[in-house]
Amino acid sequence: MSTFRNPVGPQSSSVYWRRRLIVGLGLVAVIAIILLIVFGPKASSGPASTSPSAEPSAVASSAPAATNASGVVICDPAKLTLDAATDETTYDENQNPQLSFSITSTMTEPCAIEAGSDIQEFVITSGDDEIWNSTHCQTEGEPRTIELQPGVEVKSSTIEWDRTRSAPDTCESDRPAVTAGGASYHLEVTVGDISSESTKQFLLN
């Protein structure tokens, strides 16, 4: 009795090409993996790099303090205290007030300031009325530089008020005497750009 069997023999060429293609692709994949391992990016052995940060800008050094011709630091007006002063608080009849001022520096080092009579101004008021001004008939003033030590009060020389009302047009004539009998007056002083922080009150009998 004959038995039916599948025929055995050479297979078609397409089967061989498919097999060769699969093998070839597999070989290419293996080669690619090897190349990536050998030549691919390597992890840095050091700490992870970070984006460079901007260098901290150097703190700008403050400008050197200005000095005068003698090399002394010029006073900062904001660190000076100017006080108006009188020699008495109450004046008897025919007693003339002596006016002055004092300056104190709060700086940490000695400093110099221009404080001559050429830039001084003494003003006496009564209420809102300006009674007398030292510059009304001042013919000339003398420049003067004074040196201040930290926290040390420096007093000016005094000028006398003759108890009269001043005006620029009364320099060559007699001036009227001001009211006395216990009248209150206030002195304010200015030296250059610095003014006394408060007025000095006094009475005339």
Side-chain angles (χ1 to χ4, degrees), residues 1-200:
M1 173 184 284
S2 64
T3 303
F4 179 80
R5 298 179 179 178
N6 288 327
V8 178
Q11 299 183 14
S12 64
S13 61
S14 61
V15 174
Y16 289 109
W17 282 113
R18 282 197 298 271
R19 290 177 179 174
R20 290 172 181 174
L21 180 60
I22 293 172
V23 172
L25 292 174
L27 182 60
V28 170
V30 171
I31 293 173
I33 293 173
I34 293 173
L35 292 175
L36 286 174
I37 293 174
V38 175
F39 298 104
K42 297 182 179 179
S44 172
S45 58
S49 61
T50 57
S51 58
S53 58
E55 289 292 332
S57 58
V59 177
S61 58
S62 57
T67 58
N68 62 12
S70 300
V72 181
V73 173
I74 296 175
C75 297
D76 180 356
K79 296 181 179 181
L80 298 180
T81 300
L82 177 64
D83 293 311
T86 57
D87 61 329
E88 302 287 350
T89 55
T90 301
Y91 294 90
D92 294 331
E93 186 179 0
N94 299 323
Q95 184 182 11
N96 292 338
Q98 304 297 312
L99 316 177
S100 63
F101 63 85
S102 63
I103 301 179
T104 306
S105 169
T106 60
M107 295 180 65
T108 58
E109 58 187 331
C111 67
I113 180 177
E114 295 299 321
S117 58
D118 58 332
I119 57 172
Q120 296 175 8
E121 182 179 25
F122 294 78
V123 178
I124 294 175
T125 59
S126 180
D128 295 331
D129 186 15
E130 181 174 300
I131 303 297
W132 182 83
N133 188 311
S134 64
T135 66
H136 281 167
C137 297
Q138 180 174 313
T139 56
E140 60 182 32
E142 295 181 0
R144 182 188 176 194
T145 302
I146 60 174
E147 186 172 324
L148 302 176
Q149 299 296 325
V152 179
E153 181 184 73
V154 175
K155 295 183 178 181
S156 72
S157 56
T158 61
I159 63 173
E160 184 175 280
W161 177 41
D162 61 0
R163 301 169 66 130
T164 63
R165 177 183 291 270
S166 72
D169 59 355
T170 61
C171 298
E172 303 299 330
S173 59
D174 292 335
R175 294 175 173 178
V178 298
T179 302
S184 174
Y185 295 91
H186 289 260
L187 170 66
E188 179 181 1
V189 179
T190 300
V191 179
D193 296 328
I194 309 169
S195 297
S196 52
E197 296 184 353
S198 60
T199 61
K200 171 66 175 179

